[in-house]
Amino acid sequence: MSSPVEVGFATLAGRARAMMAAANVPPEHRRAMFPKACLHATTIDGLVPETIDGTTKTRYEWFHGHPPKWLNDLQQFGSAGTVVIKNRDIVPKSQNRGVTCVFVGFKANQAAGTYSMWDLATKGTHVTHDVTFLGGGHWTFDATQAL
């Protein structure tokens, strides 16, 4: 018989795989995105409601005493968004000032509206407030294609 902790790990890993499948993450990118998907699955697991003594609150609220600050900023894992890249150099007006990235979660202990966005080109993560989500679209996962 498995312990509740072992079952919990398997459940979160299954949620991470489901989020990547729903976001159409191709197999060649899943290994890099799996830790980010697991972290996001763990984060949103705190939104599961629990009833104690007739009072229903999320797990996060029971533990911290208040709702999470990112609650109103939820996005679907894998959503495409343009991240503003701040350059100190003078950039011509016709040159792009942002890069299209993938939403992979929230950064812990940051202000509301702070997103963690994965850049396919650099394989790095941008933690930023300056994101414009591209309505209703997931990333195409083709570096040569624009959204």
Side-chain angles (χ1 to χ4, degrees):
M1 183 173 185
S2 297
S3 75
V5 173
E6 291 172 339
V7 172
F9 286 145
T11 301
L12 290 173
R15 287 179 184 164
R17 284 191 301 274
M19 287 189 308
M20 289 191 300
N24 299 318
V25 178
E28 61 268 18
H29 294 293
R30 286 188 181 212
R31 185 177 182 134
M33 287 192 74
F34 186 71
K36 296 168 187 356
C38 284
L39 181 60
H40 188 59
T42 303
T43 301
I44 62 174
D45 187 57
L47 297 180
V48 173
E50 297 283 341
T51 302
I52 300 174
D53 295 332
T55 304
T56 302
K57 296 181 184 180
T58 64
R59 292 176 179 171
Y60 188 98
E61 289 177 279
W62 280 116
F63 188 78
H64 295 283
H66 57 83
K69 50 189 164 183
W70 44 262
L71 186 61
N72 294 326
D73 301 316
L74 284 174
Q75 295 290 328
Q76 186 174 356
F77 183 87
S79 295
T82 302
V83 174
V84 176
I85 304 298
K86 295 190 177 3
N87 264 339
R88 294 188 178 154
D89 302 328
I90 296 174
V91 179
K93 290 184 180 190
S94 61
Q95 188 174 347
N96 289 339
R97 295 198 171 115
V99 61
T100 304
C101 296
V102 180
F103 171 75
V104 292
F106 301 99
K107 194 70 174 176
N109 301 322
Q110 295 287 330
T114 304
Y115 299 97
S116 184
M117 304 292 289
W118 188 59
D119 188 343
L120 178 63
T122 65
K123 304 279 192 276
T125 304
H126 300 280
V127 177
T128 182
H129 292 275
D130 296 328
V131 179
T132 302
F133 285 97
L134 307 175
H138 282 100
W139 180 259
T140 61
F141 289 98
D142 181 0
T144 61
Q145 264 187 356
L147 289 175

